[in-house]
Amino acid sequence: MSNTFTLDPRLEAESLPFGRLKFCEVRLFDDARFPWLVLVPRRAALVEIIDLDAAEQMALLDDIIVASRMLKAATKCHKLNVAALGNQVRQLHVHVIARFESDGAWPNPVWGRGKRVPYDPQAAANFTERLKAAMGLR
Amino acid sequence: MSNTFTLDPRLEAESLPFGRLKFCEVRLFDDARFPWLVLVPRRAALVEIIDLDAAEQMALLDDIIVASRMLKAATKCHKLNVAALGNQVRQLHVHVIARFESDGAWPNPVWGRGKRVPYDPQAAANFTERLKAAMGLR
């Protein structure tokens, strides 16, 4: 048995470290086509939002709000997409994605749209810094 | 100007009346392939979750939890998908979908998977009743 939080290997492989919010580990999804954060609650063995107790649900919501505002402030996106799917990676995680009418998937969801385009390391670092600078802004 | 809540015409056309939760109008998405509820906050001019104030965000979360538990209890689904996308219909709405490893879209998201299969009216009524009977169950 394990109560230790570990990141699902597939999530880890497809994303870059970004930081931590109150309840979640935050990853930058490694696809330069879409500004995209993934929030992963730091608790073992979670699958569904309804697996969380009420306080944890609120903590997750708070983190979603922070990530959403950060993305919106930094990118001036046209729309935010927020989703907990988990059909492929079972560990509970929430996608927060900044969408543009000009992006390659619009107006469809981003999942399953061709191949991921990994960031150039410098571009990932720059974008991470830009997002963090926007934290707390609306 | 209008503070009156009205359902987006496309959402209305693609779904059936289901009922009301504390904060949201609930619609049964009219696609018999997937057990699928759509929650629409009863407030005018909403687009993003971050447009809600803190109390409203919590009310939306509560309704998402109720709808999720209802679907899970009634269908014994393998996974819940919860998403606020809104790229096509701007009015804030949250999809809560019961997913099965045997469904026609698994493990992909349900959006954009072929044509909607409208319910037979009796089947919609039966499923609605089954879901409501499961309300409050886990």
Side-chain angles (χ1 to χ4, degrees):
Chain A
M1 59 156 276
S2 165
N3 283 313
T4 313
F5 166 74
T6 47
L7 192 60
D8 174 276
R10 176 161 165 194
L11 274 183
E12 185 160 24
E14 296 182 342
S15 66
L16 303 164
F18 180 86
R20 316 182 109 201
L21 288 170
K22 271 191 306 186
F23 183 52
C24 294
E25 202 68 24
V26 183
R27 306 281 300 184
L28 176 65
F29 194 70
D30 192 11
D31 190 339
R33 300 173 302 166
F34 306 107
W36 183 339
L37 296 174
V38 179
L39 311 187
V40 190
R42 280 190 302 275
R43 253 199 52 197
L46 291 174
V47 176
E48 303 283 5
I49 296 171
I50 55 174
D51 294 341
L52 300 169
D53 68 29
E56 292 168 333
Q57 287 165 11
M58 282 177 51
L60 174 60
L61 175 62
D62 284 348
D63 285 357
I64 290 170
I65 297 296
V66 171
S68 298
R69 287 187 175 146
M70 196 163 47
L71 275 170
K72 173 106 187 185
T75 70
K76 313 290 179 206
C77 58
H78 300 129
K79 190 68 192 72
L80 291 162
N81 286 180
V82 178
L85 305 178
N87 308 328
Q88 311 212 19
V89 168
R90 212 155 167 79
Q91 180 175 44
L92 179 60
H93 60 286
V94 179
H95 303 273
V96 186
I97 309 158
R99 300 298 309 277
F100 295 85
E101 289 166 16
S102 57
D103 74 38
W106 187 268
N108 298 113
V110 295
W111 303 278
R113 305 292 298 187
K115 269 182 104 75
R116 214 160 45 80
V117 179
Y119 281 96
D120 167 86
Q122 190 56 54
N126 292 348
F127 184 54
T128 295
E129 196 170 327
R130 225 174 95 212
L131 278 177
K132 288 182 177 173
M135 178 124 55
L137 300 177
R138 314 204 171 189
Chain B
M1 59 156 275
S2 163
N3 283 313
T4 313
F5 166 74
T6 47
L7 193 59
D8 174 275
R10 176 161 165 193
L11 273 184
E12 185 160 25
E14 296 183 342
S15 66
L16 302 165
F18 179 86
R20 317 183 108 198
L21 287 171
K22 271 190 307 186
F23 183 52
C24 295
E25 201 69 22
V26 184
R27 307 281 300 183
L28 176 65
F29 193 70
D30 194 10
D31 190 338
R33 300 172 303 166
F34 306 106
W36 181 341
L37 296 174
V38 179
L39 311 187
V40 190
R42 281 190 301 278
R43 253 199 53 196
L46 291 174
V47 176
E48 302 284 5
I49 296 171
I50 55 175
D51 293 341
L52 300 169
D53 67 30
E56 291 169 332
Q57 287 165 11
M58 283 179 50
L60 174 61
L61 175 62
D62 284 349
D63 285 357
I64 290 170
I65 297 297
V66 171
S68 298
R69 287 186 173 148
M70 195 162 50
L71 274 170
K72 173 105 186 186
T75 70
K76 313 290 180 205
C77 58
H78 300 130
K79 190 68 195 70
L80 291 162
N81 287 179
V82 178
L85 305 178
N87 308 329
Q88 311 212 16
V89 168
R90 213 154 166 80
Q91 179 175 43
L92 178 61
H93 60 286
V94 179
H95 303 274
V96 186
I97 308 159
R99 301 297 310 275
F100 295 86
E101 290 165 17
S102 57
D103 74 36
W106 188 268
N108 299 113
V110 296
W111 302 277
R113 305 291 297 187
K115 269 183 104 75
R116 211 160 47 80
V117 179
Y119 281 96
D120 167 85
Q122 189 56 53
N126 291 348
F127 183 54
T128 296
E129 196 170 326
R130 225 174 95 213
L131 279 176
K132 288 183 177 172
M135 176 121 58
L137 301 176
R138 311 205 175 186

